Amino acid sequence: MDLATLLFSALYQFGDAFAFLVLSACGLAVIFGMMGVINLAHGEFIMCGAYVSVSAARAGLPLPLAVLAGALASGLAGMVIERLVIRHLYERPLDTIVATWGISLIATQGTLILLGSSLQGIGTPLGGFQVGAYSYSAYRVVLFLSALAVLAALYALFNWTKFGVIARATIQVPHMAAALGVDTRLIYSLTFGLGAALAGLAGGLYAPTMTLVPTMGATFIMEAFVTVVVGGADVFLGTAPAAAILAIVKASMTSWQGQLFGQIGLLVTVIVVIRILPRGLSGFLLRERA
């Protein structure tokens, strides 16, 4: 393998790992990182997005619209769950672990009973391309570009729009926002729904590349939590650098010893980062700014 092909292969593997980590973690970064809700049902929102996207695509909807439909369905489900369950637990953050775990079990088993053990997929679109002696999936490049677009859209939403400013203010100082006339309940509901929609978007984007089963969310949730914990509470300062570092670790370890060692590398990395930087990368960067 010549140097150019070797370099492209390394970049491709990095981009693939980076996209998976970012898309898996963005929704959790909003719900857990910003709102402080420990959402163990994150994987089920991803599963919801994947199932709805594939069902919509098989019904004749173009894949981009089907993915958006999956994201919308997950977002609406998230808003309903926030209204019925999560809203009553904001002052009891540890109780959200039990509540969302219960929701996760109900969603997984309910899907298994209603829809069976698997759902027919739609296949990976766009085909592949050749670099040197190796072929690569073009859709994986689309996933990488989608991850960058999601990061840019979140940054713009929370920094350049009225909703973003109000949402950050409500989450940081809710009593002051309420005193200024902000409907804090609506803002919490919309923010939670946004996090769930981002999870559904991840599921919809990855649905063509995976076997669709009720437990598919477990594929995402470990790496999502690892990315958010390493990144810290600030979605914008933490998620992208954490995903980049973890993508390098995962791609390197996977290419060296396989998928299992890639997962082990992620877990070792998060242990080391928590030990050195207990507030994550964003906490360190904010401290350096100050």
Side-chain angles (χ1 to χ4, degrees):
M1 184 184 296
D2 61 81
L3 181 60
T5 303
L6 183 63
L7 180 60
F8 179 83
S9 178
L11 290 173
Y12 181 87
Q13 291 181 54
F14 166 79
D16 188 30
F18 178 82
F20 188 85
L21 291 165
V22 166
L23 293 172
S24 298
C26 275
L28 190 65
V30 171
I31 293 175
F32 177 41
M34 287 183 62
M35 302 181 68
V37 176
I38 304 171
N39 180 25
L40 295 185
H42 180 70
E44 281 57 53
F45 287 125
I46 291 174
M47 181 265 291
C48 173
Y51 269 59
V52 171
S53 297
V54 167
S55 299
R58 290 175 59 193
L61 204 63
L63 183 58
L65 294 180
V67 171
L68 291 178
L72 180 61
S74 292
L76 292 175
M79 292 180 69
V80 171
I81 289 172
E82 191 277 340
R83 177 65 182 86
L84 297 178
V85 180
I86 305 300
R87 178 169 296 183
H88 309 286
L89 302 174
Y90 285 126
E91 302 301 322
R92 297 146 55 193
L94 293 180
D95 290 350
T96 61
I97 299 175
V98 179
T100 56
W101 180 52
I103 292 168
S104 169
L105 294 176
I106 292 169
T108 301
Q109 295 304 312
T111 304
L112 179 62
I113 293 169
L114 295 174
L115 299 178
S117 59
S118 63
L119 184 70
Q120 182 181 351
I122 55 175
T124 306
L126 302 180
F129 59 94
Q130 196 88 9
V131 176
Y134 297 90
S135 60
Y136 301 90
S137 169
Y139 188 67
R140 297 285 179 175
V141 178
V142 172
L143 292 175
F144 175 71
L145 296 175
S146 299
L148 295 179
V150 167
L151 287 173
L154 278 178
Y155 182 85
L157 175 66
F158 282 103
N159 286 279
W160 297 342
T161 68
K162 182 179 179 180
F163 166 78
V165 173
I166 291 175
R168 288 190 290 120
T170 300
I171 291 166
Q172 291 172 12
V173 196
H175 62 278
M176 183 63 72
L180 293 173
V182 174
D183 186 345
T184 56
R185 289 192 171 191
L186 177 61
I187 295 299
Y188 274 116
S189 181
L190 291 173
T191 306
F192 193 94
L194 173 63
L198 289 169
L201 178 66
L205 287 170
Y206 276 96
T209 71
M210 303 180 68
T211 302
L212 301 185
V213 295
T215 57
M216 64 177 290
T219 307
F220 295 82
I221 194 164
M222 185 276 285
E223 299 192 22
F225 268 103
V226 165
T227 305
V228 172
V229 169
V230 171
D234 193 297
V235 180
F236 316 108
L237 282 178
T239 303
I245 292 170
L246 293 171
I248 293 171
V249 172
K250 182 181 179 182
S252 301
M253 296 293 288
T254 300
S255 62
W256 176 45
Q257 287 289 341
Q259 189 72 26
L260 177 61
F261 274 76
Q263 301 290 335
I264 292 172
L266 291 181
L267 295 176
V268 171
T269 302
V270 72
I271 292 170
V272 172
V273 170
I274 290 174
R275 179 66 183 87
I276 299 173
L277 303 171
R279 297 181 60 190
L281 293 175
S282 62
F284 172 76
L285 293 173
L286 288 172
R287 186 179 64 187
E288 289 296 311
R289 279 186 180 182

mmCIF file of all heavy atoms in Angstrom, residues 180-201:
data_model
loop_
_atom_site.group_PDB
_atom_site.id
_atom_site.type_symbol
_atom_site.label_atom_id
_atom_site.label_comp_id
_atom_site.label_asym_id
_atom_site.label_seq_id
_atom_site.Cartn_x
_atom_site.Cartn_y
_atom_site.Cartn_z
ATOM 1 N N LEU A 180 -38.604 36.785 34.268
ATOM 2 C CA LEU A 180 -38.622 37.669 33.101
ATOM 3 C C LEU A 180 -39.729 37.305 32.108
ATOM 4 O O LEU A 180 -39.792 37.863 31.017
ATOM 5 C CB LEU A 180 -37.264 37.625 32.399
ATOM 6 C CG LEU A 180 -36.090 38.222 33.199
ATOM 7 C CD1 LEU A 180 -34.770 37.958 32.484
ATOM 8 C CD2 LEU A 180 -36.297 39.728 33.408
ATOM 9 N N GLY A 181 -40.573 36.356 32.494
ATOM 10 C CA GLY A 181 -41.719 36.021 31.668
ATOM 11 C C GLY A 181 -41.528 34.862 30.714
ATOM 12 O O GLY A 181 -42.390 34.601 29.871
ATOM 13 N N VAL A 182 -40.435 34.131 30.826
ATOM 14 C CA VAL A 182 -40.185 32.993 29.946
ATOM 15 C C VAL A 182 -41.005 31.795 30.426
ATOM 16 O O VAL A 182 -41.069 31.513 31.631
ATOM 17 C CB VAL A 182 -38.686 32.628 29.942
ATOM 18 C CG1 VAL A 182 -38.448 31.343 29.138
ATOM 19 C CG2 VAL A 182 -37.873 33.773 29.367
ATOM 20 N N ASP A 183 -41.646 31.101 29.502
ATOM 21 C CA ASP A 183 -42.368 29.872 29.828
ATOM 22 C C ASP A 183 -41.333 28.750 29.942
ATOM 23 O O ASP A 183 -41.004 28.072 28.966
ATOM 24 C CB ASP A 183 -43.390 29.559 28.736
ATOM 25 C CG ASP A 183 -44.287 28.372 29.088
ATOM 26 O OD1 ASP A 183 -43.935 27.632 30.026
ATOM 27 O OD2 ASP A 183 -45.310 28.186 28.421
ATOM 28 N N THR A 184 -40.805 28.565 31.151
ATOM 29 C CA THR A 184 -39.697 27.625 31.336
ATOM 30 C C THR A 184 -40.111 26.188 31.040
ATOM 31 O O THR A 184 -39.304 25.392 30.559
ATOM 32 C CB THR A 184 -39.140 27.730 32.765
ATOM 33 O OG1 THR A 184 -40.201 27.523 33.707
ATOM 34 C CG2 THR A 184 -38.510 29.091 33.008
ATOM 35 N N ARG A 185 -41.361 25.846 31.328
ATOM 36 C CA ARG A 185 -41.818 24.477 31.045
ATOM 37 C C ARG A 185 -41.765 24.190 29.551
ATOM 38 O O ARG A 185 -41.351 23.110 29.127
ATOM 39 C CB ARG A 185 -43.236 24.273 31.583
ATOM 40 C CG ARG A 185 -43.328 24.207 33.098
ATOM 41 C CD ARG A 185 -44.705 23.723 33.536
ATOM 42 N NE ARG A 185 -44.742 23.463 34.962
ATOM 43 C CZ ARG A 185 -45.743 22.842 35.574
ATOM 44 N NH1 ARG A 185 -46.780 22.423 34.849
ATOM 45 N NH2 ARG A 185 -45.722 22.628 36.875
ATOM 46 N N LEU A 186 -42.191 25.160 28.750
ATOM 47 C CA LEU A 186 -42.152 24.981 27.295
ATOM 48 C C LEU A 186 -40.714 24.876 26.798
ATOM 49 O O LEU A 186 -40.408 24.035 25.938
ATOM 50 C CB LEU A 186 -42.856 26.154 26.614
ATOM 51 C CG LEU A 186 -42.831 26.158 25.074
ATOM 52 C CD1 LEU A 186 -43.531 24.919 24.531
ATOM 53 C CD2 LEU A 186 -43.460 27.434 24.527
ATOM 54 N N ILE A 187 -39.828 25.695 27.348
ATOM 55 C CA ILE A 187 -38.428 25.665 26.923
ATOM 56 C C ILE A 187 -37.790 24.320 27.271
ATOM 57 O O ILE A 187 -37.075 23.724 26.452
ATOM 58 C CB ILE A 187 -37.636 26.819 27.563
ATOM 59 C CG1 ILE A 187 -38.156 28.170 27.055
ATOM 60 C CG2 ILE A 187 -36.151 26.679 27.267
ATOM 61 C CD1 ILE A 187 -38.017 28.368 25.561
ATOM 62 N N TYR A 188 -38.057 23.822 28.476
ATOM 63 C CA TYR A 188 -37.535 22.506 28.855
ATOM 64 C C TYR A 188 -38.074 21.423 27.917
ATOM 65 O O TYR A 188 -37.331 20.524 27.485
ATOM 66 C CB TYR A 188 -37.905 22.172 30.298
ATOM 67 C CG TYR A 188 -36.940 22.693 31.321
ATOM 68 C CD1 TYR A 188 -37.339 23.646 32.257
ATOM 69 C CD2 TYR A 188 -35.631 22.228 31.378
ATOM 70 C CE1 TYR A 188 -36.453 24.135 33.209
ATOM 71 C CE2 TYR A 188 -34.739 22.700 32.320
ATOM 72 C CZ TYR A 188 -35.156 23.655 33.238
ATOM 73 O OH TYR A 188 -34.277 24.128 34.174
ATOM 74 N N SER A 189 -39.352 21.503 27.609
ATOM 75 C CA SER A 189 -39.959 20.504 26.733
ATOM 76 C C SER A 189 -39.348 20.541 25.335
ATOM 77 O O SER A 189 -39.014 19.502 24.755
ATOM 78 C CB SER A 189 -41.468 20.740 26.663
ATOM 79 O OG SER A 189 -42.100 19.774 25.847
ATOM 80 N N LEU A 190 -39.176 21.748 24.789
ATOM 81 C CA LEU A 190 -38.589 21.881 23.455
ATOM 82 C C LEU A 190 -37.134 21.443 23.424
ATOM 83 O O LEU A 190 -36.685 20.809 22.465
ATOM 84 C CB LEU A 190 -38.709 23.331 22.982
ATOM 85 C CG LEU A 190 -40.120 23.837 22.664
ATOM 86 C CD1 LEU A 190 -40.103 25.328 22.364
ATOM 87 C CD2 LEU A 190 -40.720 23.064 21.493
ATOM 88 N N THR A 191 -36.394 21.754 24.489
ATOM 89 C CA THR A 191 -34.982 21.366 24.539
ATOM 90 C C THR A 191 -34.837 19.855 24.641
ATOM 91 O O THR A 191 -34.003 19.247 23.955
ATOM 92 C CB THR A 191 -34.274 22.048 25.725
ATOM 93 O OG1 THR A 191 -34.479 23.465 25.642
ATOM 94 C CG2 THR A 191 -32.784 21.763 25.695
ATOM 95 N N PHE A 192 -35.649 19.239 25.481
ATOM 96 C CA PHE A 192 -35.621 17.779 25.573
ATOM 97 C C PHE A 192 -36.039 17.157 24.247
ATOM 98 O O PHE A 192 -35.433 16.175 23.786
ATOM 99 C CB PHE A 192 -36.544 17.306 26.699
ATOM 100 C CG PHE A 192 -36.348 15.865 27.083
ATOM 101 C CD1 PHE A 192 -35.503 15.526 28.129
ATOM 102 C CD2 PHE A 192 -36.996 14.846 26.400
ATOM 103 C CE1 PHE A 192 -35.303 14.200 28.484
ATOM 104 C CE2 PHE A 192 -36.808 13.509 26.746
ATOM 105 C CZ PHE A 192 -35.958 13.190 27.796
ATOM 106 N N GLY A 193 -37.064 17.736 23.620
ATOM 107 C CA GLY A 193 -37.484 17.239 22.319
ATOM 108 C C GLY A 193 -36.397 17.373 21.269
ATOM 109 O O GLY A 193 -36.227 16.497 20.413
ATOM 110 N N LEU A 194 -35.631 18.467 21.335
ATOM 111 C CA LEU A 194 -34.511 18.646 20.413
ATOM 112 C C LEU A 194 -33.473 17.547 20.599
ATOM 113 O O LEU A 194 -32.972 16.971 19.624
ATOM 114 C CB LEU A 194 -33.867 20.021 20.626
ATOM 115 C CG LEU A 194 -32.576 20.293 19.843
ATOM 116 C CD1 LEU A 194 -32.829 20.275 18.343
ATOM 117 C CD2 LEU A 194 -31.947 21.611 20.270
ATOM 118 N N GLY A 195 -33.130 17.251 21.864
ATOM 119 C CA GLY A 195 -32.172 16.180 22.127
ATOM 120 C C GLY A 195 -32.660 14.840 21.607
ATOM 121 O O GLY A 195 -31.898 14.070 21.006
ATOM 122 N N ALA A 196 -33.954 14.553 21.820
ATOM 123 C CA ALA A 196 -34.517 13.300 21.319
ATOM 124 C C ALA A 196 -34.525 13.278 19.790
ATOM 125 O O ALA A 196 -34.264 12.243 19.169
ATOM 126 C CB ALA A 196 -35.934 13.128 21.864
ATOM 127 N N ALA A 197 -34.820 14.423 19.157
ATOM 128 C CA ALA A 197 -34.823 14.499 17.690
ATOM 129 C C ALA A 197 -33.424 14.257 17.122
ATOM 130 O O ALA A 197 -33.274 13.598 16.090
ATOM 131 C CB ALA A 197 -35.356 15.856 17.239
ATOM 132 N N LEU A 198 -32.406 14.784 17.798
ATOM 133 C CA LEU A 198 -31.034 14.535 17.348
ATOM 134 C C LEU A 198 -30.680 13.058 17.460
ATOM 135 O O LEU A 198 -29.965 12.507 16.610
ATOM 136 C CB LEU A 198 -30.058 15.380 18.169
ATOM 137 C CG LEU A 198 -30.089 16.890 17.891
ATOM 138 C CD1 LEU A 198 -29.282 17.642 18.939
ATOM 139 C CD2 LEU A 198 -29.549 17.194 16.503
ATOM 140 N N ALA A 199 -31.176 12.406 18.520
ATOM 141 C CA ALA A 199 -30.967 10.962 18.641
ATOM 142 C C ALA A 199 -31.665 10.236 17.499
ATOM 143 O O ALA A 199 -31.101 9.321 16.875
ATOM 144 C CB ALA A 199 -31.494 10.473 19.994
ATOM 145 N N GLY A 200 -32.915 10.643 17.203
ATOM 146 C CA GLY A 200 -33.625 10.033 16.087
ATOM 147 C C GLY A 200 -32.945 10.274 14.751
ATOM 148 O O GLY A 200 -32.951 9.402 13.869
ATOM 149 N N LEU A 201 -32.342 11.451 14.599
ATOM 150 C CA LEU A 201 -31.593 11.746 13.376
ATOM 151 C C LEU A 201 -30.416 10.791 13.221
ATOM 152 O O LEU A 201 -30.155 10.280 12.123
ATOM 153 C CB LEU A 201 -31.099 13.193 13.416
ATOM 154 C CG LEU A 201 -30.258 13.660 12.228
ATOM 155 C CD1 LEU A 201 -31.086 13.684 10.953
ATOM 156 C CD2 LEU A 201 -29.662 15.042 12.492
#
